[in-house]
Amino acid sequence: MNLPLHGIKIIDFTHVQAGPACTQLLAWFGADVIKVERPGSGDVTRSQLRDQPDTDALYFTMLNSNKRSLTLDTKKPEGKKILEQLIRESDVLVENFGPGALDRMGFSWARINELNPMMIVASVKGFSDGHHYEDLKVYENVAQCAGGAASTTGFWDGPPTVSAAALGDSNTGMHLAIGILTAIIGRQQTGKGQKVAVSMQDAVLNLCRVKLRDQQRLDTLGYLEEYPQYPHGTFSDVVPRGGNAGGGGQPGWVLKCKGWETDPNAYIYFTIQGHAWEPICKALGKEEWITDPNYNTPKARQPHIFDIFQTIEAWLADKTKYEAVDILRKFDIPCSPVLSMKEIAADESLRKSGSIVEVPHKERGTYLTVGSPIKFSDMKPEITGSPLLGEHSEEVLAGLGYGAEEIASLREAQVI
C-alpha cells in the first residue's frame, strides 16, 4: 500500500516515550523511520521493565513498531560521516536529547541547515526555550505537575494526583507529529526546512485548557457551580480538585455496580446532561422528577446532585456494569463501563477496528500493542513488530552507498 508518508525519511534520535510515540505514528502512515541507537545497548527501554529475559521489553516494542534500527556511534569520525550522509538524504530529524546535546555532537541547527537546507529538525523539550526551568530534566509525572494537570486531578481532601494516561509523554509526541506534518506542508510552499519544538509542559497545558478556563471563571465569580464543592462547600482562589466530576459542565460520577465489593472495576461513569434528564428519570423509574421543581433544571439539581447519584447507585446494585450500560444506552444516556486493561486487551471491538493488534516479534513471539487511533476511509495502516537492535544497520548503510567490506570494517571498529 502506498501510504501518504511514503518517501519521507526520518532520522529518529529519540528514546523512551515522547519522541518514539511521535515517530511511530509517522511510521504507521508510511514514513521510513530510521531509529539511530547506541551500539551494544540502544534505547534504554529495550531493557526496562522486562517480562522476559534477554528480549526487548514491551516498553520498547509498543513504541517502536514499523521502524528500522541503525546502530551508530556518532562520537567517532566515521559515525559523524554516516550521520552527515543521512542528514543530506533525509527529510526530518527528531530528537529528545537534553539541551545543547546536538550542538555538542557537532550538529547544530546551522550545520544541519548547511548540510540540508530542507531538513526539518523536531525536538521534544521539557520546557520551552527561554523558560526559567529550561535546563530541568522532565519525565511524565514532572510534566503533568508542571502543566497544571496534577493540581486539578484527584479529590479535594487529598493530594494532587497524576494520571495513568501519558499526558506528558505520548501526548507531547502526538503534538510534535502534528508540528512535523505542518512543517512538511510548509516546506512544500517555501522550499525550506525549519525547527519544530514541543515542550512537555505546553502539551499538558494544552489538554488542561478547560481548567485554565475555570481559573478565569473562578477569578470572576468566586465559585464554580458545576464542581461538587458547590453549593455546600467553599472555594479558595485556585481551581480545586473535583474528584470524578465532569469537566464540561455536565455533572458526572463513577458509580458502583453489582460486584464492586470484590471487583475494583465494577463501576460505570454516569453523566447527567440536561437533554437526557427525562430519559434518565424514565430509566430509573423516577418519572416524578421530570416535573419536580427541585430536579427539573440543572441549577435546581446541583444542590441534590449526590442524592441523585445515590439513587442511581441503588438502581445499579443488582446490575453488572455491562448490564447497566446496555439498559442506559437505549435511553441515549451518556455512560460507560469502567474498563480494566485486561478487559481492553480482550475487547473484540477494539481488535476488529485495529485499535488493539497482535504483532509478531523475532525474539519474543507475538505481543499485543496499540494500533492507529486515527481511522481513514481509504487506508488501514499495517502495524509491524519493533526492530531488533541494529537489525537494519547494513541495509541502511547499503542504501547510502557503502559496500560489504566497508560495512564489515565499520562493524569491526564498533561504529555500528
Side-chain angles (χ1 to χ4, degrees):
M1 186 185 298
N2 190 17
L3 296 171
L5 297 186
H6 178 76
I8 298 294
K9 182 179 286 188
I10 298 175
I11 304 169
D12 182 2
F13 260 120
T14 68
H15 52 283
V16 190
Q17 185 174 170
C22 167
T23 52
Q24 177 174 253
L25 188 70
L26 301 176
W28 287 344
F29 301 154
D32 178 14
V33 176
I34 301 171
K35 187 175 179 72
V36 182
E37 302 184 76
R38 185 179 303 163
S41 57
D43 189 321
V44 66
T45 59
R46 285 186 182 271
S47 59
Q48 279 189 341
L49 306 175
R50 275 183 171 145
D51 61 313
Q52 296 181 14
D54 303 320
T55 60
D56 289 335
L58 290 166
Y59 197 176
F60 178 85
T61 66
M62 295 180 71
L63 285 157
N64 292 281
S65 57
N66 294 60
K67 301 178 185 180
R68 296 197 288 168
S69 173
L70 163 69
T71 49
L72 188 65
D73 186 346
T74 57
K75 293 181 180 178
K76 295 179 178 178
E78 301 92 335
K80 291 184 186 298
K81 181 181 176 183
I82 292 169
L83 181 54
E84 286 182 353
Q85 289 177 265
L86 269 178
I87 290 172
R88 288 191 182 97
E89 298 187 15
S90 298
D91 298 279
V92 185
L93 185 153
V94 190
E95 60 90 18
N96 60 348
F97 295 126
L102 270 181
D103 290 357
R104 292 190 294 274
M105 286 171 57
F107 291 92
S108 64
W109 166 245
R111 176 57 178 152
I112 292 172
N113 198 244
E114 178 185 343
L115 292 167
N116 183 353
M118 296 182 69
M119 174 64 79
I120 294 162
V121 176
S123 303
V124 172
K125 297 177 176 292
F127 296 87
S128 292
D129 287 344
H131 193 284
H132 55 280
Y133 285 155
E134 66 177 337
D135 61 341
L136 189 65
K137 185 172 284 189
V138 176
Y139 294 109
E140 172 65 53
N141 292 348
V142 175
Q144 289 194 33
C145 292
S151 72
T152 56
T153 304
F155 285 83
W156 46 90
D157 57 353
T161 305
V162 296
S163 169
L167 306 180
D169 278 326
S170 285
N171 168 49
T172 302
M174 301 303 103
H175 278 81
L176 189 62
I178 294 169
I180 290 169
L181 295 175
T182 302
I184 289 173
I185 294 172
R187 185 178 64 185
Q188 294 171 355
Q189 298 169 352
T190 67
K192 296 179 181 179
Q194 61 178 305
K195 291 192 291 184
V196 180
V198 178
S199 84
M200 295 172 74
Q201 181 191 38
D202 290 352
V204 173
L205 173 59
N206 192 37
L207 295 190
C208 291
R209 68 183 71 176
V210 296
K211 299 301 181 180
L212 186 59
R213 170 205 68 190
D214 291 348
Q215 183 62 59
Q216 294 171 87
R217 292 172 55 229
L218 181 63
D219 291 342
T220 301
L221 301 171
Y223 61 89
L224 298 167
E225 63 182 15
E226 77 280 13
Y227 278 64
Q229 290 86 335
Y230 181 86
H232 307 298
T234 58
F235 288 85
S236 70
D237 61 349
V238 299
V239 173
R241 291 182 274 285
N244 289 314
Q250 308 295 339
W253 210 252
V254 172
L255 303 175
K256 299 172 185 172
C257 293
K258 180 181 178 180
W260 68 270
E261 298 91 343
T262 55
D263 180 356
N265 293 299
Y267 292 80
I268 68 169
Y269 193 86
F270 193 104
T271 303
I272 300 177
Q273 285 188 312
H275 76 271
W277 179 242
E278 184 171 334
I280 288 170
C281 295
K282 290 179 178 179
L284 298 175
K286 299 290 289 185
E287 285 88 347
E288 66 272 19
W289 279 357
I290 295 173
T291 56
D292 188 331
N294 291 316
Y295 294 95
N296 63 0
T297 67
K299 189 172 183 178
R301 287 192 290 272
Q302 187 61 31
H304 315 292
I305 196 66
F306 282 103
D307 294 332
I308 295 171
F309 285 138
Q310 191 172 17
T311 299
I312 299 170
E313 205 163 60
W315 179 83
L316 292 166
D318 63 349
K319 303 170 184 68
T320 68
K321 60 187 179 184
Y322 297 111
E323 291 169 342
V325 170
D326 280 344
I327 294 169
L328 296 170
R329 67 181 184 173
K330 294 173 183 176
F331 290 86
D332 199 27
I333 296 168
C335 61
S336 172
V338 173
L339 296 176
S340 68
M341 283 296 120
K342 189 175 183 67
E343 290 167 316
I344 284 175
D347 191 305
E348 287 301 321
S349 293
L350 291 174
R351 287 172 178 253
K352 185 178 180 180
S353 69
S355 299
I356 294 285
V357 294
E358 290 187 15
V359 295
H361 186 271
K362 293 180 177 64
E363 292 183 345
R364 66 177 297 123
T366 299
Y367 67 94
L368 196 66
T369 189
V370 295
S372 173
I374 306 168
K375 312 301 183 188
F376 302 88
S377 62
D378 290 341
M379 73 173 200
K380 185 175 182 179
E382 178 187 358
I383 310 301
T384 62
S386 62
L388 302 179
L389 179 61
E391 179 180 347
H392 303 95
S393 295
E394 294 184 12
E395 178 181 290
V396 172
L397 291 178
L400 293 175
Y402 284 79
E405 291 185 5
E406 290 177 290
I407 294 171
S409 177
L410 289 168
R411 190 172 294 284
E412 184 178 353
Q414 298 183 330
V415 176
I416 60 171

